[in-house]
Structure formats: structure tokens, C-alpha cells
């Protein structure tokens, strides 16, 4: 159990490396999924393109959404985007930086899927088999005598060797090699373009906007750390609150039991009062008071709910030791706004 706890703490402290590892695993999984996928082209005019485009685009979209869902920062981004401005303005540059960081990692698996699909060639062969230039690669003298529907029906069966019956018009192996050559050329071009784009985004862009990049990166890390610390503080408060509630419950039950047996206790009590006082003086300190100190004045459900609401609506300003003068409603500035005193009072005691 301790080993799992240590691994979990390591992953929490190295979240960026952990997310990079998850994205790499998803990329390998996408390639393995394609190799295990049984591609069955319908070999019908009008259906080949729809089936091929679905195979080419639907799994990458699913993998992209999974990459976003598995990123813990997606909820933080949504919370920061939708929260009221309050006493802390929202910076669109920070939100863009956070989304771009998540999107770059989430795009790895979809890019791998598209690249593997194009390099394999089956999907491209199924989609564009009806566009093969028969006049160039086959018996062009027979093309004018065929109706367009019949020609499309024959070419749509090129991906299916067991039912293709148009070798008299176009050799199937010629069409397959032609389309796979184009598909692999597109696949390697796609890999090259995505690699160059990733290089430009990760390496060249910060050089031209270094100041804005550093500010966005710093405040993105700040939002992440602030949220973690707030969760830890709430967990500590909830733990202390639960301890005090349980202790009060047991003390109340003990008091009720003592009231029910008061006469029996008085009849059998033989310990002198002085000895009782000495034992009380030698007893350990009351831990209930220590737990109450951890509550920092928030001792009921309604006050805690107002504090959490205030934290969402008006987070404290980012000015340490330079608090702006508060109005009677608890806000800095001249415009009347909702009160936020619970947050200021609570965190001044932390």
C-alpha cells in the first residue's frame, strides 16, 4: 500500500511528465487499435467514401476527446473560464495557454491514427477507387461504351478482390498500387507537416513572444497550484470539522448515559475529590480545542457554504500585503458588488 501511495504522490508532483506518458500510451494504443481493426470496405458506389471518411475521422475525434477528458486541467480551465470576474480579472492569454497545452497533448493520438491510416492505404483505396483514371491505367478504348453507373460499379469493387470482375477493363493490382502510392505520399506529407508545425509551436513561437509566453505560463501554473492548495485546505477543514462533530456526538451520548445512571454512580463513588482533581490535572490536553482551532472560525454548514460560494464568485486579488480598501460590502473599488468577507476572513487565519 505504501508503494502505491508513493507512486501516486510521484505522479501528482510530476503531472506534466505523467500526462506526456499518458499521451504516448494513447498514441501507441491508437496504432495498435488500427492494426487490430478489421477494415471491410462495402465496395458499393456512394458508400465507399462515407465508410472511409468515417474510419479516418471518427476515431481521431474520439481519441482527442479522451485526451481532454483524461487531463485533470480541463475542469480547472472550464472553472476559470466560467467564473465571475469578481476581485480578480480573467486573463484570456492564460486561458488560451492552458487550452493550447492540453490540446497539443490530446492531438498526439489522433495524429498517429490519421498517419497510420494513410500509410496503410486501405482507407484511401476504398474512398477513391472510383476516381482511378481508367483511360490512363487500363483499357481506355472500352470506357466510352460503358454507362457511368456501370463504370462506377466496377471500380467500386476494386478493394474487394473476391468480387471484382473488371480485369478486362482495368487490372486490379494496377489500381491498388496506384492508390496506395498516393495514400502513402499523403501520409508522409501529413507526418512532415505536423512535425514542422509542432516544432514551430513548441520552439519558435516562444522566441518571438517570450514575455507574454512567460507570463501566461507562470499564471497557468499559479492557477493549478492555487486550486490544489485550496483543495488541501478544504480537506483539512473537513477532517477537523468531522472530528469535532463525532467527538461532540460521543460526548452527548456519554452525558445522556451518565444522567441515566447518576444514582448508581453516586452510591459506588469512593474516590476522594482531591484525587479526582489530581487525575484531571494530569490528564492529556483536550484535543477538541485543537481541532476547533483548525476550523478557523467556520463552525457551521451555512457559513462554509457561503465561503465556498464567495470563493467562486470573488477570489482574493493577487496583491500580497497591498489589499485595496474594502467597502462596506467587502469589495475593493467603488462599485457595489456581492459580499466576500467569508473568504477574506477565512484565509487571513490560514
Amino acid at each position: 500500500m505504501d508503494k502505491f501511495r508513493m507512486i501516486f504522490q510521484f505522479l501528482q508532483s510530476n503531472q506534466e511528465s505523467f500526462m506526456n506518458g499518458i499521451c504516448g500510451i494513447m498514441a501507441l494504443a491508437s496504432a495498435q487499435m488500427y492494426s487490430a481493426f478489421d477494415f471491410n470496405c462495402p465496395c458499393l458506389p456512394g458508400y465507399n467514401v462515407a465508410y472511409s471518411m468515417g474510419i479516418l475521422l471518427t476515431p481521431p475525434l474520439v481519441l482527442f476527446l479522451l485526451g481532454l477528458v483524461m487531463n485533470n486541467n480541463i475542469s480547472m480551465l472550464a472553472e476559470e473560464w466560467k467564473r465571475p470576474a469578481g476581485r480578480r480579472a480573467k486573463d484570456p492569454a492564460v486561458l488560451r495557454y492552458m487550452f493550447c497545452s492540453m490540446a497539443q497533448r490530446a492531438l498526439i493520438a489522433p495524429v498517429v491514427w490519421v498517419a497510420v491510416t494513410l500509410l496503410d492505404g486501405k482507407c484511401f483505396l476504398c474512398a477513391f477507387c472510383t476516381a482511378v483514371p481508367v483511360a490512363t491505367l487500363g483499357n481506355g478504348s472500352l470506357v466510352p461504351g460503358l454507362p457511368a453507373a456501370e463504370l462506377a460499379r466496377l471500380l467500386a469493387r476494386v478493394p474487394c478482390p473476391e468480387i471484382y470482375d473488371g480485369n478486362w477493363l482495368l487490372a486490379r493490382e494496377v489500381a491498388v498500387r496506384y492508390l496506395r502510392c498516393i495514400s502513402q505520399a499523403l501520409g508522409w506529407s501529413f507526418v512532415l507537416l505536423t512535425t514542422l508545425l509542432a516544432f514551430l509551436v513548441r520552439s519558435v513561437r516562444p522566441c518571438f513572444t517570450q514575455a507574454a509566453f512567460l507570463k501566461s505560463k507562470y499564471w497557468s501554473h499559479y492557477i493549478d497550484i492555487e486550486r490544489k492548495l485550496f483543495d488541501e485546505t478544504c480537506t483539512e477543514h473537513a477532517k477537523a470539522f468531522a472530528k469535532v462533530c463525532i467527538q461532540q456526538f460521543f460526548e452527548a451520548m456519554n452525558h445522556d448515559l451518565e444522567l441515566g445512571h447518576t444514582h448508581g454512580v453516586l452510591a459506588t463513588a469512593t474516590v476522594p475529590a482531591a484525587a479526582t482533581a489530581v487525575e484531571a490535572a494530569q490528564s492529556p490536553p483536550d484535543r477538541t480545542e485543537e481541532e476547533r482551532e483548525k476550523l478557523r472560525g467556520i463552525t457551521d454548514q451555512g457559513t462554509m457554504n457561503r465561503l465556498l460560494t464567495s470563493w467562486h464568485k470573488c477570489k482574493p486579488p493577487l496583491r500580497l500585503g497591498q489589499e485595496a480598501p474594502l467597502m462596506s460590502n467587502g469589495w475593493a473599488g467603488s462599485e457595489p458588488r456581492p459580499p466576500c468577507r467569508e473568504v477574506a476572513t477565512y484565509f487571513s487565519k490560514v
Side-chain angles (χ1 to χ4, degrees):
M1 197 65 183
D2 294 337
K3 293 182 179 179
F4 288 107
R5 188 181 296 109
M6 292 176 60
I7 295 175
F8 181 72
Q9 292 175 353
F10 173 77
L11 294 178
Q12 281 188 326
S13 60
N14 298 271
Q15 186 177 7
E16 184 173 359
S17 301
F18 173 66
M19 290 308 304
N20 291 336
I22 290 294
C23 293
I25 293 174
M26 290 186 63
L28 294 176
S30 65
Q32 186 65 27
M33 286 169 55
Y34 181 82
S35 62
F37 178 73
D38 188 12
F39 187 88
N40 291 314
C41 183
C43 296
L44 293 173
Y47 291 89
N48 288 8
V49 176
Y51 178 80
S52 301
M53 292 299 102
I55 297 300
L56 182 65
L57 300 179
T58 302
L61 179 60
V62 174
L63 292 172
F64 177 74
L65 295 177
L66 284 177
L68 292 179
V69 169
M70 296 181 66
N71 196 317
N72 295 329
N73 293 332
I74 187 65
S75 59
M76 180 180 64
L77 174 62
E79 178 184 349
E80 185 67 17
W81 178 44
K82 295 296 294 184
R83 72 170 177 84
R87 300 170 67 187
R88 183 190 300 179
K90 292 185 287 186
D91 190 354
V94 176
L95 298 179
R96 286 195 300 269
Y97 174 83
M98 294 169 61
F99 177 77
C100 291
S101 299
M102 291 185 294
Q104 289 173 14
R105 294 188 177 94
L107 281 172
I108 296 177
V111 166
V112 171
W113 177 275
V114 174
V116 171
T117 303
L118 291 176
L119 292 175
D120 183 66
K122 293 179 182 178
C123 188
F124 190 87
L125 171 64
C126 180
F128 297 100
C129 58
T130 56
V132 175
V134 180
T136 304
L137 302 178
N139 193 351
S141 60
L142 300 177
V143 174
L146 287 176
E150 180 65 19
L151 179 62
R153 185 188 67 82
L154 288 174
L155 295 179
R157 295 182 176 182
V158 169
C160 305
E162 61 277 4
I163 62 174
Y164 180 67
D165 55 354
N167 285 314
W168 55 272
L169 178 65
L170 174 67
R172 179 182 177 276
E173 186 66 24
V174 174
V176 170
R177 286 178 177 272
Y178 174 78
L179 292 175
R180 283 193 172 179
C181 177
I182 298 176
S183 179
Q184 290 178 357
L186 292 175
W188 284 116
S189 300
F190 177 76
V191 172
L192 178 61
L193 289 177
T194 53
T195 304
L196 290 177
L197 181 61
F199 173 76
L200 293 176
V201 171
R202 300 287 292 181
S203 302
V204 179
R205 177 179 171 272
C207 298
F208 292 98
T209 58
Q210 185 65 21
F213 177 77
L214 290 177
K215 288 189 290 185
S216 301
K217 185 177 181 180
Y218 175 85
W219 290 115
S220 174
H221 291 332
Y222 172 84
I223 293 173
D224 185 23
I225 295 173
E226 182 189 56
R227 184 189 184 189
K228 292 179 180 178
L229 292 178
F230 182 78
D231 292 342
E232 292 176 2
T233 305
C234 290
T235 301
E236 180 184 354
H237 183 278
K239 186 177 181 180
F241 194 89
K243 283 186 177 180
V244 173
C245 287
I246 294 173
Q247 290 173 357
Q248 289 181 350
F249 172 76
F250 279 95
E251 289 174 359
M253 291 297 297
N254 187 30
H255 180 68
D256 293 341
L257 292 175
E258 288 180 352
L259 288 179
H261 300 281
T262 301
H263 298 289
V265 172
L266 292 176
T268 57
T270 57
V271 181
T276 305
V278 171
E279 292 179 0
Q282 295 177 351
S283 62
D286 189 9
R287 294 183 177 268
T288 305
E289 297 299 327
E290 297 179 4
E291 299 297 337
R292 286 183 179 275
E293 291 180 0
K294 295 180 180 179
L295 296 178
R296 302 179 178 92
I298 310 298
T299 57
D300 62 273
Q301 184 179 6
T303 305
M304 191 63 199
N305 289 338
R306 288 196 301 272
L307 182 141
L308 296 175
T309 303
S310 299
W311 173 260
H312 171 70
K313 291 183 177 180
C314 50
K315 292 184 179 180
L318 301 176
R319 294 190 303 272
L320 301 180
Q322 300 179 4
E323 287 287 342
L326 298 179
M327 299 179 60
S328 58
N329 58 6
W331 280 80
S334 57
E335 298 181 359
R337 296 176 183 267
C340 302
R341 291 193 177 277
E342 287 86 353
V343 174
T345 303
Y346 181 78
F347 284 96
S348 64
K349 298 179 182 180
V350 176

